[in-house]
Structure formats: structure tokens, C-alpha cells
Amino acid sequence: MSAVELRTSLVLSNNKHNQNNSGWFSTSTNSWVVWARMKMYVVISRYRPFETDGVFHVSELPPEEQNNAAISLIGLLHTKNPNVFILGEMYNLHSQGVQLLSRITSLCRMTYRTGFELVEGYNTDMGWGCMMRTGQMVLANSLIRLFFQKDWRVTSCSQYESQRYKEFLSLFSDTMRAPISIQRIALMGEQLDIKVGQWFGPTTICHVLKRLVMANISSLVRVYVSQDAVIYEDEIIECSKNWTKPVLLLIPLRLGLQFIEPSLAQMAAETLTLPQSLGIIGGKKSTSFYFVGKQENNLLFIDPHYPQSTVPMDNFSFESFHSSQLAQIKLTEMDPSLAIAFLCRSQQDLDEIRAYTEYDGRSIFALSSMDQLECLSDSVMSEGEAEAEGDSDWEIV
């Protein structure tokens, strides 16, 4: 769909709703019905799920039309509260739709793949790899934050940045040669008694990521997985080599038995407003999503359940790893088993997370020193496993 077609579909209500016709609009059509029909048209004629040129087409529209066009491409609606949070960054839907679209399009996305290098007889992860892909997304977006500028956008990067980004994506290529490939993740799961082809839970993917990072790319980042919903400050500092290495902090939690407690779901969603946030590994029952944002009482997520062919890492387009769209569910529809992710690069980051846990005297996790264990609510449970660590000499230049 061209920019002209996009503009036509979005602004028909401005210049045709007073015209008497038997098509989509008529003189008796209420404004909210016009918007609903307009929204439906955009969804029906939307770009392919992994096409990024929507950003360019929106930029070609008149300035007064760009904001609503961008919001429609993302898949959001205007709500009473215009603020949307994406990994700790706030955007106002009334005025920052274009910036929000660019930010979302630049999030790295991993999805089901078919036709990849065999692992235990499987050449696709369809039906069992969604949690693994979610874990890849958390790690990938943490590395983007570390090694690319804060305002880096995939739609406007230079030729040098494009080549550098392709080299970065090769870390996650669907081959045994790649350090964080689906094959390596699946085989590492066998060390935790989960066979290839079986589904991971949030706690499992956290520990698998820790092992793979420490064995392959510990020169880039370290991973800390909390135990029993408690983060020990001295362990974090040791993990970071006294803050000479950034730390991906993963906090596995269980916030209910069969269903998530609404108050705890709200607390989990609030972590997405912190600047250190790298999202939430979670989903629905046996279905994993990567939660990257919140809008009022809804969670916004990237869905890995989209099959794509495996791409050769020496010749591929960014569209295979990016999209302009987010999906959403209500807070209370989230599965109670999840893992919260933060990126800590300094003591200040850790102190800001601590301030969040102490803000109202009650939190879904605690930050403590080894000799001072804070009490948590009885409704918060967690799983933990011991880990083996290695080292590496990987470097992103």
C-alpha cells in the first residue's frame, strides 16, 4: 500500500463523511463508527507483518495526518490516558505517534523459523520454540541498548550501522555456529532435563540464557537470575565485575496459582515504566509473548508465533527481524508464571530499581544484601536453579 493509499484510507472521514453515498461512509454515520470502519480498513490492507516501510510512508503524509496514521499502523487506539510506555520510555499518543512507530519498528523481533539446520531431527521450532524466541528477543534488545546509540533506529541507520547490525544479528542465527541460536538454546535445555521439541517455561529460559551467555558472549554482557524473588546486591556487583560489565537481570516469578492476582499483575506492568526495563518474559498458558509496553490496563507485546523461513545471515533484509505492529492483552489475562528483565550498567541503575521496590513498602520482588533478607508477600513464589559459568571473547565492534 502506497502513501497515497494509506492517506486515503485514514482521512476519508475528514472529507467524505458529509457526502451521501452507500459505501463506507454516509451522512448518518457517527464519528466513532467512521473511525471504527477506518480502523478496519487499515487493518485489512495493512502491510505484511514484517515490513518496515510504513515509517517512510507515514513520513510522506501531511504533518497533521501523520500522528493518527502511525498509531493505526502500530495497532493502537486512542484511550482516556494518552501515555504509552515502551521499555521505560513514555510516548503521548496525541503528539508522539510517529516517534512511537519508529521506536516499535526498531525493536528486534525473533519468531518461529522453518527450514533451519537440524537439531535432534527438528528443522523448525513451530509449536515448541516460542519461549526460546522470547528469550532471544530479551537478550537481543539488551545488546542493542548496550552497543547502539539510544536514539538508533533501524529505518534510518547508516550503511556502516547496517553492516554492524547484521553482524550483531548473526549471534542469533539459526545454526549451531551462532552462540545464541535456537539450536544451542534447545540443546542447553537438555541439561535441565527438557528434551528438544518440548516447551520451556519462563524460569527455564532465564537459566538457559545465563548459561549460554556465560559460555559464549560474557565479554559483552553478564546475566544474573534471581532466586526466590530476591536480588542480592553483592552478587550483582560480583556478577558485573564491580560494574565493569553490564548485567542483564532476570527475575523469575509466579504471581498466582492458576490465574494471576490483579494487584500483582499491575505491579508487574509498572516495571515497564522503569528506564532499566527490558520487558517481561511471559504470555498465556503454554503460549509465550514478549511484553514490551503498557497502555492503561493493557500489556503490549511482540508475538513470536509467526512462521518465517530461515534466512542466510550473509544476505537478508531487516524486515525479517522487525515489524511496526504490537498486539495487546489485558493485565489479568497474563499467565502467573513470568520473568521480569532489567539492564543494569551501574550502581545507579540498581539503586533506582531498589527505590521502585521500596516505594510503597510492597513489591513483587526484593533487592537485598546477603545478610539482610527482606520479606515478600506470601502470594509471590519463584523457582531457582544453580548455574555453571564460563567465559568468552566475543566482541561487537
Side-chain angles (χ1 to χ4, degrees):
M1 182 170 60
S2 69
V4 174
E5 292 170 325
L6 174 62
R7 178 185 178 187
T8 301
S9 68
L10 290 171
V11 303
L12 274 175
S13 60
N14 290 334
N15 55 18
K16 287 191 176 180
H17 73 277
N18 289 324
Q19 297 180 13
N20 186 11
N21 61 67
S22 57
W24 278 44
F25 302 94
S26 68
T27 55
S28 61
T29 305
N30 293 326
S31 59
W32 69 269
V33 175
V34 171
W35 173 252
R37 289 174 176 172
M38 183 171 62
K39 184 76 175 172
M40 184 185 301
Y41 182 79
V42 172
V43 170
I44 292 172
S45 58
R46 185 174 281 172
Y47 306 97
R48 291 181 293 108
F50 286 80
E51 193 167 329
T52 58
D53 61 356
V55 175
F56 297 113
H57 289 321
V58 167
S59 67
E60 295 174 359
L61 296 174
E64 67 274 11
E65 299 170 10
Q66 292 181 7
N67 195 71
N68 283 342
I71 293 170
S72 294
L73 284 175
I74 297 167
L76 299 179
L77 291 172
H78 286 283
T79 57
K80 189 173 183 179
N81 184 346
N83 294 330
V84 173
F85 286 90
I86 301 294
L87 298 185
E89 299 176 5
M90 186 176 73
Y91 296 86
N92 188 303
L93 291 185
H94 292 165
S95 59
Q96 295 179 298
V98 175
Q99 295 93 320
L100 178 60
L101 174 63
S102 180
R103 178 70 181 99
I104 289 170
T105 304
S106 297
L107 292 173
C108 187
R109 300 169 184 243
M110 308 289 181
T111 71
Y112 283 157
R113 297 284 179 173
T114 61
F116 55 59
E117 182 180 308
L118 286 176
V119 53
E120 299 292 327
Y122 289 92
N123 70 346
T124 178
D125 59 319
M126 289 177 58
W128 54 272
C130 57
M131 184 64 74
M132 303 179 194
R133 297 298 185 182
T134 299
Q136 284 183 319
M137 285 190 275
V138 170
L139 181 57
N141 284 291
S142 71
L143 293 174
I144 289 174
R145 185 177 295 183
L146 287 171
F147 296 103
F148 294 84
Q149 294 182 4
K150 182 178 180 180
D151 59 352
W152 176 85
R153 296 294 182 260
V154 69
T155 53
S156 59
C157 57
S158 66
Q159 184 176 356
Y160 169 75
E161 289 175 324
S162 295
Q163 183 58 39
R164 187 165 173 256
Y165 186 56
K166 287 186 176 182
E167 293 173 359
F168 157 77
L169 288 175
S170 69
L171 297 175
F172 303 90
S173 177
D174 297 321
T175 171
M176 279 297 297
R177 297 187 301 275
I180 315 295
S181 65
I182 191 73
Q183 290 90 344
R184 286 182 178 266
I185 292 175
L187 291 173
M188 185 62 75
E190 290 191 330
Q191 297 186 18
L192 301 176
D193 298 324
I194 299 177
K195 295 181 180 179
V196 176
Q198 291 185 337
W199 196 79
F200 280 17
T203 299
T204 301
I205 190 60
C206 289
H207 288 287
V208 165
L209 287 177
K210 178 178 179 179
R211 293 187 178 195
L212 286 177
V213 166
M214 294 308 297
N216 297 289
I217 59 169
S218 62
S219 60
L220 304 180
V221 67
R222 299 299 177 96
V223 176
Y224 178 91
V225 182
S226 70
Q227 298 185 41
D228 301 319
V230 179
I231 306 162
Y232 295 106
E233 181 174 0
D234 42 0
E235 290 183 348
I236 289 279
I237 295 174
E238 180 182 358
C239 181
S240 71
K241 302 296 183 183
N242 201 25
W243 298 118
T244 61
K245 299 289 184 182
V247 177
L248 174 58
L249 172 56
L250 300 175
I251 310 170
L253 301 167
R254 189 165 185 88
L255 305 180
L257 296 175
Q258 292 185 331
F259 304 99
I260 193 167
E261 295 290 336
S263 61
L264 301 181
Q266 186 65 49
M267 291 182 190
E270 286 301 314
T271 65
L272 295 167
T273 67
L274 299 179
Q276 297 79 16
S277 173
L278 272 170
I280 299 173
I281 298 172
K284 292 185 176 181
K285 185 175 178 60
S286 300
T287 303
S288 177
F289 301 138
Y290 178 30
F291 296 110
V292 297
K294 67 182 290 284
Q295 181 187 24
E296 291 192 336
N297 291 321
N298 293 327
L299 287 171
L300 310 178
F301 65 89
I302 301 174
D303 189 352
H305 302 86
Y306 180 81
Q308 299 186 92
S309 298
T310 297
V311 295
M313 296 310 293
D314 58 344
N315 182 24
F316 68 95
S317 63
F318 290 161
E319 282 79 1
S320 185
F321 295 93
H322 294 272
S323 170
S324 62
Q325 301 173 41
L326 292 178
Q328 56 185 293
I329 63 171
K330 294 186 179 301
L331 289 177
T332 52
E333 295 177 359
M334 181 170 49
D335 190 87
S337 181
L338 54 91
I340 295 171
F342 296 110
L343 182 63
C344 290
R345 289 178 278 193
S346 65
Q347 184 65 43
Q348 180 180 346
D349 285 335
L350 198 61
D351 289 342
E352 290 180 8
I353 294 173
R354 184 202 311 279
Y356 161 79
T357 67
E358 298 174 349
Y359 176 70
D360 58 2
R362 184 167 181 260
S363 177
I364 52 177
F365 61 90
L367 200 160
S368 175
S369 61
M370 286 293 289
D371 58 354
Q372 185 181 12
L373 180 64
E374 298 181 28
C375 295
L376 293 177
S377 168
D378 292 338
S379 59
V380 179
M381 295 166 281
S382 178
E383 306 163 80
E385 299 173 7
E387 300 302 317
E389 297 186 355
D391 209 340
S392 73
D393 57 359
W394 272 83
E395 183 178 4
I396 294 179
V397 296

